[in-house]
């Protein structure tokens, strides 16, 4: 009976965590580039139940044996619980009650990387990823990855996100737009190449601003945006603020393989756990919306509430039976 309480309680705990995940998905339904989370449930190890006093060496259904005159010849006895008022179950089939479940738990909170809807904005520095891939941005904690392509040009010409983190190129350097180039002349292609007018770029020491010069009728490649993907979906983990960090060393850093323990080295050496050029493309002037569906999440929330309520009722039922067993059945002999 105690097992029933624990089993129902684990269900309540799991559904409570699932409610938190659903609530977070709903809260980020309008967050650019957000990917919804999904809870993965896993069952605890089950127990195989059998009845006490059942004979240990039962036969098999359909087994051909010589005629018998007594139960003793079959290796069983009248103490066998399958013998009730002269009736016995098939003596050649060992009684089997089955498995007893012990509840479930949240094994993983997985990220659903399904493509979100694209919204055209017309803004030069709004970039949407079509397909697989992440932008790389420089944060105080190191390089982080994001699907949020809402960038802007700050006063010094650097492309940054809303938190002020610089967008990185394939060399790991921040991308800086010349100050004398209008935004409408900046072109970002599908592979992340950033082109601006002119055939030379230099720093104006008086203004400390980058300026393009030369033949302004042509286009020159300024940089290429770092667009990466991972062969293993577990290579990154959500950090918050729509950012992902590399979990190769469990802390989001990228240390030398020789400088870490043996349990971490295989993941550092696994190419699927390291960033590589993405197969997706960049669409300039658009943003990828969240892949969260409010309707779907609300349906899941209602279903989750009912599951929680069912487990709660199971706990009350088990508690009521325990109360009866202790306070009523236990007093019959007194």
């Amino acid at each position: 009976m105690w097992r029933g309480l624990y089993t129902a309680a684990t269900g309540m705990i799991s559904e409570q965590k699932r409610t938190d995940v659903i609530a977070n998905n709903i809260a980020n339904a309008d967050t650019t580039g957000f990917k919804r989370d999904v809870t993965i449930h896993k069952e605890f190890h089950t127990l195989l139940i059998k009845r006490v006093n059942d004979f240990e060496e039962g036969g098999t259904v359909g087994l051909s044996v010589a005629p018998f005159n007594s139960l003793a010849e079959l290796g069983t006895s009248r103490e066998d619980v399958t013998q009730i008022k002269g009736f016995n179950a098939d003596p050649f089939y060992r009684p089997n009650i089955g498995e007893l479940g012990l509840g479930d738990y949240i094994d993983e909170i997985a990220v659903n990387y399904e493509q979100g809807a694209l919204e055209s904005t017309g803004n030069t520095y709004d970039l949407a990823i079509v397909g697989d891939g992440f932008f790389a941005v420089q944060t105080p904690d190191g390089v982080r990855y994001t699907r949020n392509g809402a960038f802007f040009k700050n006063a010094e010409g650097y492309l940054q996100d809303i938190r002020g983190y610089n967008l990185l190129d394939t060399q790991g350097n921040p991308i800086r737009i010349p100050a004398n180039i209008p935004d409408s002349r900046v072109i970002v292609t599908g592979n992340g190449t950033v082109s601006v007018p002119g055939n030379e770029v230099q720093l104006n020491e008086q203004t400390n601003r980058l300026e393009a010069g030369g033949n302004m009728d042509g286009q020159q490649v300024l940089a290429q945006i770092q667009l990466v993907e991972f062969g293993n979906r577990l290579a990154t983990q959500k950090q918050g603020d729509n950012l992902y960090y590399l979990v190769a060393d469990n802390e989001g850093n990228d240390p030398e393989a020789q400088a870490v323990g043996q349990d971490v080295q295989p993941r550092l050496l696994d190419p699927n756990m390291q960033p590589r050029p993405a197969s997706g493309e960049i669409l300039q002037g658009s943003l990828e919306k969240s892949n969260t569906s409010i309707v779907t999440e609300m349906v899941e929330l209602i279903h989750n509430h009912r599951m929680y309520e069912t487990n709660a009722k199971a706990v009350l039922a088990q508690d009521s039976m325990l109360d009866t067993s202790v306070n009523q059945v236990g007093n019959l002999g007194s």
Side-chain angles (χ1 to χ4, degrees), residues 217-230:
D217 293 331
Q219 291 286 122
Q220 61 178 325
V221 175
L222 182 67
Q224 184 174 5
I225 297 174
Q226 184 177 158
L227 184 66
V228 300
E229 67 180 12
F230 301 87

Side-chain angles (χ1 to χ4, degrees), residues 78-283:
R78 293 190 180 280
E79 283 73 34
D80 192 327
V81 295
T82 62
Q83 317 303 319
I84 302 175
K85 294 184 178 181
F87 169 81
N88 65 288
D90 186 344
F92 296 99
Y93 178 74
R94 182 175 180 177
N96 182 21
I97 296 178
E99 294 183 345
L100 173 65
L102 300 179
D104 76 335
Y105 62 97
I106 302 297
D107 183 51
E108 178 189 354
I109 299 178
V111 181
N112 181 355
Y113 288 105
E114 182 180 4
Q115 179 75 46
L118 300 179
E119 179 182 22
S120 178
T121 64
N123 296 328
T124 300
Y125 304 116
D126 282 345
L127 308 175
I129 299 176
V130 182
D132 295 333
F134 291 91
F135 296 110
V137 294
Q138 184 66 52
T139 75
D141 298 322
V143 177
R144 296 295 184 264
Y145 303 94
T146 182
R147 295 276 298 193
N148 186 354
F151 299 105
F152 69 94
K153 184 178 67 175
N154 70 359
E156 297 179 350
Y158 290 103
L159 293 186
Q160 299 180 335
D161 64 8
I162 193 173
R163 304 168 200 84
Y165 301 151
N166 290 330
L167 177 64
L168 301 180
D169 62 12
T170 53
Q171 304 301 317
N173 300 318
I175 300 175
R176 194 176 188 184
I177 305 299
N180 62 331
I181 299 298
D183 293 340
S184 59
R185 298 290 304 276
V186 179
I187 299 175
V188 180
T189 60
N191 65 355
T193 299
V194 181
S195 301
V196 296
N199 55 13
E200 62 180 28
V201 176
Q202 58 185 2
L203 180 66
N204 189 323
E205 296 182 356
Q206 295 181 351
T207 62
N208 195 28
R209 296 290 187 270
L210 203 64
E211 296 181 355
N215 183 12
M216 303 301 288
D217 293 331
Q219 291 286 122
Q220 61 178 325
V221 175
L222 182 67
Q224 184 174 5
I225 297 174
Q226 184 177 158
L227 184 66
V228 300
E229 67 180 12
F230 301 87
N232 189 331
R233 67 178 181 84
L234 300 178
T236 58
Q237 183 173 328
K238 285 187 176 182
Q239 172 181 301
D241 292 331
N242 217 359
L243 298 175
Y244 297 78
Y245 67 88
L246 191 64
V247 297
D249 68 340
N250 295 325
E251 295 180 357
N253 303 313
D254 191 14
E256 296 292 336
Q258 295 79 7
V260 297
Q262 294 181 354
D263 59 328
V264 178
Q265 288 182 11
R267 282 181 290 171
L268 284 173
L269 300 177
D270 183 1
N272 289 326
M273 298 294 289
Q274 300 297 326
R276 64 189 186 192
S279 58
E281 295 185 349
I282 296 177
L283 182 62

Side-chain angles (χ1 to χ4, degrees), residues 53-75:
N53 295 327
D54 280 353
F55 57 91
E56 295 293 332
E57 300 298 333
T60 305
V61 174
L63 181 65
S64 176
V65 297
F68 57 90
N69 298 317
S70 66
L71 293 174
E73 296 178 8
L74 291 174

